[in-house]
Amino acid sequence: MSDRMPYSSDVCDEQWALIEPVITAWKAGHPSASGHRGKYTMREIVNAVLYQNRSGCQWDLLPHDLPPAGAVKYYFYKWRDDGTDQTIHDLLRWQLREKKRRLADPSLIILDTQSVHASVGVPATTTGKDAAKKVPGRKRCLAVDVLGLVIDCVVLPACAHENAAGIALLDSVAGQCDTVTKALVGQGFKKKVADHGKNLGIDVEIVERNPADKGFIPQAKRWIVEQTNGILMFYRRLVRDYEHRPASSRSRVLWAMTSVMSRRLTGRTIASWRTA
């Protein structure tokens, strides 16, 4: 650990012990052509990614006592493109599920979408306008388990229909979790999603809202994905979509959940804006 003053988003020794084996293996598999081991420690690179995720700052506004933006970008994009961020995320999810006395992969998932505004610099070709929610930007589509842990995430233009989001999520989940047999979705998803799920061996149940209910009434199990969306909003980089590529937006979700799960596994907490 460096001798700088720590940020609340930093990984502690116990958290780093969960992440380090993956990073160390990656580093061993990507030696420098010159034999140079790098000026910055991998732990500080991870701390910089988590700091930006939590604070929402621009690349050039990373604190001077963290590695410079160029170095952090290099690893963030490398890990995004080769799936290292996914590997770290999935390993922590399996450990947390097993800690809760559940199988590593779920049989039941809950699907939902969230439309978020896009920043000015985001390419118009990857955004759209959600006609129902009047939100110009991107649509973040989550599949979570009953613990609220993200199984997969798909990022689409906000104009994409819920059916497109549901089909993309089901395809992605089926490709990595052959244990999923049931999915709960909201009324925005239609029969087309249910039919697609049937082809994948997943029973898709559309949870109907009681017409007599007034205001927000949590629906059993379905509310869990809303809770996850709320947790992600603590990570200010996710409040608005600043990423030029949807793949980067997806990676931000994985890093946010990596922070959440590593804290749950080690019993650590992080102050929120609600903390007095």
Side-chain angles (χ1 to χ4, degrees), residues 7-267:
Y7 295 102
S8 61
S9 56
D10 287 352
V11 291
C12 65
D13 291 343
E14 294 84 358
Q15 289 172 284
W16 179 239
L18 297 171
I19 299 172
E20 182 182 19
V22 178
I23 299 295
T24 300
W26 182 90
K27 191 70 173 173
H30 297 77
S32 169
S34 64
H36 191 263
R37 296 187 60 82
K39 183 177 179 181
Y40 308 102
T41 66
M42 291 295 96
R43 181 169 177 172
E44 284 293 84
I45 295 292
V46 170
N47 281 335
V49 171
L50 297 181
Y51 177 91
Q52 188 184 42
N53 243 28
R54 185 74 185 192
S55 68
C57 73
Q58 299 173 14
W59 282 110
D60 291 340
L61 295 182
L62 282 171
H64 296 303
D65 53 1
L66 288 173
V72 183
K73 280 183 182 180
Y74 172 81
Y75 288 103
F76 176 78
Y77 295 142
K78 277 282 188 181
W79 293 338
R80 175 200 68 189
D81 294 340
D82 66 14
T84 300
D85 54 0
Q86 175 95 51
T87 299
I88 295 170
H89 171 273
D90 288 351
L91 285 173
L92 294 186
R93 172 167 55 82
W94 293 332
Q95 290 181 56
L96 189 51
R97 281 185 57 85
E98 289 171 353
K99 183 178 179 181
K100 297 293 184 180
R101 300 183 183 278
R102 294 179 179 273
L103 297 176
D105 286 319
S107 59
L108 172 69
I109 58 173
I110 307 105
L111 310 185
D112 196 22
T113 66
Q114 179 187 39
S115 293
V116 293
H117 288 267
S119 180
V120 174
V122 175
T125 53
T126 64
T127 65
K129 184 172 183 178
D130 187 325
K133 300 175 182 175
K134 313 299 182 188
V135 174
R138 287 191 178 133
K139 184 168 287 188
R140 188 180 298 138
C141 320
L142 296 183
V144 307
D145 64 10
V146 294
L147 299 177
L149 306 180
V150 173
I151 304 303
D152 208 348
C153 174
V154 173
V155 179
L156 302 171
C159 58
H161 194 276
E162 303 291 85
N163 283 346
I167 289 171
L169 267 178
L170 289 174
D171 283 340
S172 189
V173 168
Q176 62 172 304
C177 282
D178 58 3
T179 59
V180 175
T181 58
K182 189 174 181 65
L184 302 179
V185 300
Q187 291 180 234
F189 297 87
K190 305 303 180 185
K191 187 175 181 295
K192 190 174 182 180
V193 177
D195 291 341
H196 189 76
K198 191 179 299 182
N199 294 334
L200 298 173
I202 301 174
D203 176 26
V204 177
E205 178 184 342
I206 300 175
V207 181
E208 302 283 347
R209 176 182 168 87
N210 187 342
D213 288 342
K214 302 294 183 183
F216 174 69
I217 305 295
Q219 296 171 309
K221 293 187 179 178
R222 265 272 301 142
W223 67 271
I224 296 171
V225 68
E226 303 291 352
Q227 183 185 52
T228 301
N229 278 327
I231 290 172
L232 291 177
M233 289 300 97
F234 283 117
Y235 293 81
R236 296 183 68 84
R237 189 78 181 189
L238 295 174
V239 173
R240 182 181 291 267
D241 200 324
Y242 297 98
E243 314 304 332
H244 279 218
R245 293 180 56 185
S248 294
S249 302
R250 180 179 183 274
S251 184
R252 292 289 178 185
V253 173
L254 297 179
W255 280 112
M257 289 305 299
T258 291
S259 175
V260 170
M261 292 186 294
S262 67
R263 291 178 183 279
R264 290 182 183 176
L265 283 166
T266 58

